[in-house]
Amino acid sequence: MDTKDLWVLDGGMGRELARRGAPFRQPEWSALALMEAPETVREVHQAYVASGARVITTNSYALVPFHIGAERFAAEGEALAALAGQLAREVADEQGAVQVAGSLPPLFGSYRADLYQAERVSELATPLVRALSPHVDLWLAETMSLIAEPLALKALLPGDGKPFWVSFTLEDEAPGSEPTLRSGERVEDAVTALASAGVDAILFNCCQPEVIEGALKVAGAALQAQGRTDVRLGAYANAFPPQPKEATANDGLDEIRGDLGPLDYLGWAERWRGAGASLIGGCCGIGPEHIEALASRLR
């Protein structure tokens, strides 16, 4: 795989569903559309592909008890994940040359490294992996707040040879300070651990665009030190203001920053490209118009 070949990823799912009128509320978040308006999920995937995305991500992020409740997860979680995989697969196959990333979310709440329960990872992740497996081209453990969770998820993946990508969310601190995960763990340590475990790509997402460039530089240096020049780097930021340390992601619809329109976001993406990223897309609040700007200019 050529690590210099840029792949444009899709953007955020939840806000785009809400913008298109899909049912959308807490605590179900983006999972509600799978239950009540799956056609809108398909439309969002189609919009990102039309905008130039080469990778679309399954709408399985909120399919955890944290969002849909333990009872519904036990009864419907696997079937809903299968539907999420099927919808993305159908859109990708309609278009051709589009890959499907199977979203493996933080199992105990976004940004909440303090809620991580190692003993429950298999119980919650195995149904998602089983349901998504027939439909995806690669695995994406995303918005990871700590090192242990993606390592535990990797151990549960089938031996299918599909690439495993891990995307960490960073503390929204001032640029210039050492980049850390929301757990407080150093980016360098996270990259070293995941590279040693055989990850195929390391990305940074669901954080301020300002903090990503520094993390990419640290990641690139750590990979170089390990001789892992085959590991790709990537980024997909969110578009809402910095979140305090006690924040829980998806706690509500945060106000979108006024300085992150498509061309503004492109400016950040160009900096990430310069720092070594070859997988670039968008997270919360980044829509098809942003992805179109990336695809038309970066490629």
Side-chain angles (χ1 to χ4, degrees), residues 17-48:
L17 287 168
R19 190 167 81 164
R20 291 168 182 265
F24 190 81
R25 63 170 184 261
Q26 285 289 62
E28 294 93 343
W29 203 251
S30 56
L32 191 60
L34 275 178
M35 303 169 192
E36 299 182 7
E39 271 307 308
T40 313
V41 176
R42 182 195 304 273
E43 289 172 12
V44 174
H45 286 317
Q46 289 171 330
Y48 282 124

Short mmCIF file of all heavy atoms in Angstrom, two decimals, residues 17-48:
data_model
loop_
_atom_site.label_atom_id
_atom_site.label_comp_id
_atom_site.label_asym_id
_atom_site.label_seq_id
_atom_site.Cartn_x
_atom_site.Cartn_y
_atom_site.Cartn_z
N LEU A 17 -27.52 13.52 9.50
CA LEU A 17 -28.83 12.91 9.61
C LEU A 17 -29.86 13.92 10.13
O LEU A 17 -30.96 14.03 9.58
CB LEU A 17 -28.77 11.70 10.56
CG LEU A 17 -28.09 10.45 10.04
CD1 LEU A 17 -27.84 9.47 11.19
CD2 LEU A 17 -28.92 9.79 8.95
N ALA A 18 -29.47 14.65 11.18
CA ALA A 18 -30.38 15.65 11.75
C ALA A 18 -30.71 16.73 10.72
O ALA A 18 -31.86 17.18 10.62
CB ALA A 18 -29.75 16.27 12.99
N ARG A 19 -29.70 17.14 9.96
CA ARG A 19 -29.90 18.18 8.96
C ARG A 19 -30.89 17.74 7.89
O ARG A 19 -31.62 18.57 7.32
CB ARG A 19 -28.56 18.56 8.33
CG ARG A 19 -28.62 19.80 7.46
CD ARG A 19 -27.25 20.30 7.12
NE ARG A 19 -26.63 19.58 6.02
CZ ARG A 19 -25.57 20.02 5.34
NH1 ARG A 19 -25.02 21.16 5.65
NH2 ARG A 19 -25.06 19.30 4.37
N ARG A 20 -30.93 16.43 7.63
CA ARG A 20 -31.82 15.90 6.60
C ARG A 20 -33.18 15.49 7.16
O ARG A 20 -33.98 14.88 6.45
CB ARG A 20 -31.15 14.71 5.91
CG ARG A 20 -29.96 15.11 5.06
CD ARG A 20 -29.11 13.92 4.61
NE ARG A 20 -27.98 14.40 3.86
CZ ARG A 20 -27.91 14.50 2.53
NH1 ARG A 20 -28.97 14.15 1.80
NH2 ARG A 20 -26.84 14.96 1.93
N GLY A 21 -33.42 15.80 8.42
CA GLY A 21 -34.73 15.55 8.99
C GLY A 21 -34.95 14.18 9.58
O GLY A 21 -36.08 13.82 9.92
N ALA A 22 -33.89 13.40 9.72
CA ALA A 22 -34.04 12.08 10.34
C ALA A 22 -34.34 12.25 11.83
O ALA A 22 -33.91 13.24 12.44
CB ALA A 22 -32.77 11.26 10.16
N PRO A 23 -35.06 11.32 12.43
CA PRO A 23 -35.29 11.40 13.88
C PRO A 23 -33.95 11.37 14.60
O PRO A 23 -33.09 10.54 14.29
CB PRO A 23 -36.13 10.16 14.18
CG PRO A 23 -35.89 9.23 13.02
CD PRO A 23 -35.65 10.11 11.83
N PHE A 24 -33.79 12.26 15.55
CA PHE A 24 -32.47 12.44 16.15
C PHE A 24 -32.62 13.01 17.54
O PHE A 24 -33.13 14.12 17.71
CB PHE A 24 -31.65 13.39 15.26
CG PHE A 24 -30.20 13.48 15.62
CD1 PHE A 24 -29.31 12.51 15.20
CD2 PHE A 24 -29.72 14.53 16.38
CE1 PHE A 24 -27.97 12.58 15.52
CE2 PHE A 24 -28.38 14.62 16.72
CZ PHE A 24 -27.50 13.64 16.27
N ARG A 25 -32.24 12.25 18.55
CA ARG A 25 -32.35 12.73 19.93
C ARG A 25 -31.37 11.94 20.79
O ARG A 25 -30.81 10.93 20.36
CB ARG A 25 -33.78 12.55 20.45
CG ARG A 25 -34.23 11.10 20.51
CD ARG A 25 -35.55 10.89 21.24
NE ARG A 25 -35.86 9.46 21.33
CZ ARG A 25 -36.70 8.84 20.52
NH1 ARG A 25 -37.34 9.50 19.57
NH2 ARG A 25 -36.93 7.54 20.67
N GLN A 26 -31.20 12.42 22.00
CA GLN A 26 -30.47 11.64 22.97
C GLN A 26 -31.43 10.68 23.67
O GLN A 26 -32.62 10.99 23.79
CB GLN A 26 -29.84 12.59 24.00
CG GLN A 26 -28.64 13.34 23.46
CD GLN A 26 -27.46 12.42 23.28
OE1 GLN A 26 -27.52 11.46 22.48
NE2 GLN A 26 -26.38 12.68 23.97
N PRO A 27 -30.99 9.52 24.12
CA PRO A 27 -29.58 9.09 24.07
C PRO A 27 -29.21 8.31 22.83
O PRO A 27 -28.04 7.95 22.66
CB PRO A 27 -29.49 8.18 25.31
CG PRO A 27 -30.85 7.54 25.37
CD PRO A 27 -31.82 8.61 24.94
N GLU A 28 -30.18 8.04 21.94
CA GLU A 28 -29.88 7.13 20.83
C GLU A 28 -28.91 7.70 19.80
O GLU A 28 -28.24 6.96 19.09
CB GLU A 28 -31.17 6.72 20.11
CG GLU A 28 -32.12 5.89 20.96
CD GLU A 28 -33.14 6.75 21.68
OE1 GLU A 28 -32.92 7.99 21.79
OE2 GLU A 28 -34.16 6.20 22.13
N TRP A 29 -28.91 9.04 19.66
CA TRP A 29 -28.00 9.71 18.73
C TRP A 29 -28.20 9.17 17.32
O TRP A 29 -29.32 9.02 16.86
CB TRP A 29 -26.55 9.55 19.21
CG TRP A 29 -25.61 10.61 18.69
CD1 TRP A 29 -24.62 10.44 17.76
CD2 TRP A 29 -25.55 11.99 19.07
NE1 TRP A 29 -23.96 11.64 17.54
CE2 TRP A 29 -24.51 12.59 18.33
CE3 TRP A 29 -26.30 12.77 19.95
CZ2 TRP A 29 -24.18 13.94 18.44
CZ3 TRP A 29 -25.97 14.11 20.08
CH2 TRP A 29 -24.92 14.68 19.34
N SER A 30 -27.14 8.86 16.60
CA SER A 30 -27.26 8.44 15.19
C SER A 30 -27.88 7.05 15.04
O SER A 30 -28.27 6.66 13.93
CB SER A 30 -25.89 8.47 14.51
OG SER A 30 -24.96 7.67 15.22
N ALA A 31 -27.99 6.28 16.13
CA ALA A 31 -28.61 4.96 16.04
C ALA A 31 -30.11 5.06 15.77
O ALA A 31 -30.70 4.13 15.21
CB ALA A 31 -28.37 4.18 17.32
N LEU A 32 -30.71 6.17 16.15
CA LEU A 32 -32.16 6.30 16.00
C LEU A 32 -32.58 6.22 14.54
O LEU A 32 -33.61 5.64 14.21
CB LEU A 32 -32.64 7.61 16.63
CG LEU A 32 -34.15 7.77 16.79
CD1 LEU A 32 -34.73 6.68 17.69
CD2 LEU A 32 -34.48 9.15 17.36
N ALA A 33 -31.78 6.78 13.65
CA ALA A 33 -32.11 6.73 12.23
C ALA A 33 -32.06 5.29 11.70
O ALA A 33 -32.84 4.94 10.81
CB ALA A 33 -31.16 7.61 11.43
N LEU A 34 -31.16 4.48 12.21
CA LEU A 34 -31.13 3.07 11.80
C LEU A 34 -32.44 2.39 12.16
O LEU A 34 -32.95 1.56 11.41
CB LEU A 34 -29.99 2.33 12.50
CG LEU A 34 -28.60 2.38 11.87
CD1 LEU A 34 -27.63 1.63 12.76
CD2 LEU A 34 -28.59 1.80 10.47
N MET A 35 -33.00 2.76 13.30
CA MET A 35 -34.23 2.13 13.77
C MET A 35 -35.46 2.65 13.04
O MET A 35 -36.39 1.89 12.75
CB MET A 35 -34.40 2.40 15.28
CG MET A 35 -33.25 1.92 16.14
SD MET A 35 -33.42 2.58 17.84
CE MET A 35 -31.81 2.18 18.51
N GLU A 36 -35.47 3.95 12.73
CA GLU A 36 -36.70 4.57 12.24
C GLU A 36 -36.61 5.15 10.83
O GLU A 36 -37.66 5.38 10.21
CB GLU A 36 -37.12 5.68 13.22
CG GLU A 36 -37.41 5.17 14.63
CD GLU A 36 -37.87 6.26 15.57
OE1 GLU A 36 -38.10 7.40 15.10
OE2 GLU A 36 -38.00 5.98 16.78
N ALA A 37 -35.41 5.40 10.32
CA ALA A 37 -35.28 6.02 8.99
C ALA A 37 -34.01 5.57 8.29
O ALA A 37 -33.16 6.39 7.94
CB ALA A 37 -35.31 7.54 9.12
N PRO A 38 -33.85 4.26 8.08
CA PRO A 38 -32.60 3.77 7.47
C PRO A 38 -32.32 4.35 6.09
O PRO A 38 -31.16 4.44 5.70
CB PRO A 38 -32.80 2.25 7.43
CG PRO A 38 -34.27 2.02 7.57
CD PRO A 38 -34.77 3.15 8.41
N GLU A 39 -33.37 4.75 5.37
CA GLU A 39 -33.14 5.33 4.04
C GLU A 39 -32.33 6.63 4.14
O GLU A 39 -31.58 6.97 3.23
CB GLU A 39 -34.46 5.59 3.32
CG GLU A 39 -34.94 4.42 2.50
CD GLU A 39 -33.88 3.90 1.52
OE1 GLU A 39 -33.33 4.72 0.76
OE2 GLU A 39 -33.61 2.70 1.54
N THR A 40 -32.51 7.36 5.25
CA THR A 40 -31.73 8.59 5.41
C THR A 40 -30.26 8.27 5.65
O THR A 40 -29.38 9.01 5.19
CB THR A 40 -32.29 9.43 6.58
OG1 THR A 40 -33.71 9.51 6.48
CG2 THR A 40 -31.71 10.83 6.56
N VAL A 41 -29.98 7.19 6.33
CA VAL A 41 -28.59 6.76 6.49
C VAL A 41 -27.98 6.47 5.12
O VAL A 41 -26.85 6.89 4.83
CB VAL A 41 -28.51 5.51 7.39
CG1 VAL A 41 -27.07 5.00 7.49
CG2 VAL A 41 -29.07 5.80 8.78
N ARG A 42 -28.73 5.79 4.29
CA ARG A 42 -28.26 5.51 2.93
C ARG A 42 -27.98 6.82 2.17
O ARG A 42 -26.97 6.96 1.48
CB ARG A 42 -29.29 4.68 2.18
CG ARG A 42 -28.85 4.29 0.76
CD ARG A 42 -30.04 3.79 -0.07
NE ARG A 42 -30.71 2.67 0.58
CZ ARG A 42 -30.35 1.41 0.43
NH1 ARG A 42 -29.31 1.11 -0.33
NH2 ARG A 42 -31.03 0.45 1.03
N GLU A 43 -28.89 7.79 2.33
CA GLU A 43 -28.73 9.07 1.63
C GLU A 43 -27.45 9.79 2.07
O GLU A 43 -26.77 10.41 1.24
CB GLU A 43 -29.94 9.97 1.90
CG GLU A 43 -31.21 9.52 1.21
CD GLU A 43 -32.42 10.34 1.68
OE1 GLU A 43 -32.20 11.38 2.35
OE2 GLU A 43 -33.56 9.92 1.39
N VAL A 44 -27.14 9.73 3.36
CA VAL A 44 -25.92 10.38 3.84
C VAL A 44 -24.69 9.70 3.24
O VAL A 44 -23.76 10.37 2.79
CB VAL A 44 -25.88 10.39 5.38
CG1 VAL A 44 -24.55 10.94 5.87
CG2 VAL A 44 -27.03 11.23 5.93
N HIS A 45 -24.68 8.38 3.24
CA HIS A 45 -23.56 7.67 2.61
C HIS A 45 -23.42 8.08 1.14
O HIS A 45 -22.31 8.35 0.65
CB HIS A 45 -23.79 6.15 2.67
CG HIS A 45 -23.59 5.54 4.02
ND1 HIS A 45 -22.53 5.85 4.85
CD2 HIS A 45 -24.31 4.57 4.67
CE1 HIS A 45 -22.60 5.12 5.96
NE2 HIS A 45 -23.67 4.35 5.88
N GLN A 46 -24.56 8.14 0.44
CA GLN A 46 -24.52 8.51 -0.97
C GLN A 46 -24.00 9.93 -1.17
O GLN A 46 -23.25 10.20 -2.11
CB GLN A 46 -25.92 8.37 -1.57
CG GLN A 46 -26.38 6.93 -1.72
CD GLN A 46 -27.84 6.80 -2.10
OE1 GLN A 46 -28.68 7.65 -1.76
NE2 GLN A 46 -28.19 5.73 -2.81
N ALA A 47 -24.38 10.83 -0.27
CA ALA A 47 -23.93 12.21 -0.37
C ALA A 47 -22.42 12.30 -0.21
O ALA A 47 -21.75 13.07 -0.92
CB ALA A 47 -24.63 13.07 0.68
N TYR A 48 -21.86 11.53 0.70
CA TYR A 48 -20.41 11.57 0.88
C TYR A 48 -19.67 10.96 -0.31
O TYR A 48 -18.64 11.48 -0.74
CB TYR A 48 -20.02 10.87 2.18
CG TYR A 48 -20.26 11.73 3.40
CD1 TYR A 48 -21.07 11.30 4.45
CD2 TYR A 48 -19.70 13.00 3.50
CE1 TYR A 48 -21.30 12.10 5.56
CE2 TYR A 48 -19.92 13.81 4.60
CZ TYR A 48 -20.72 13.35 5.63
OH TYR A 48 -20.93 14.16 6.71
#
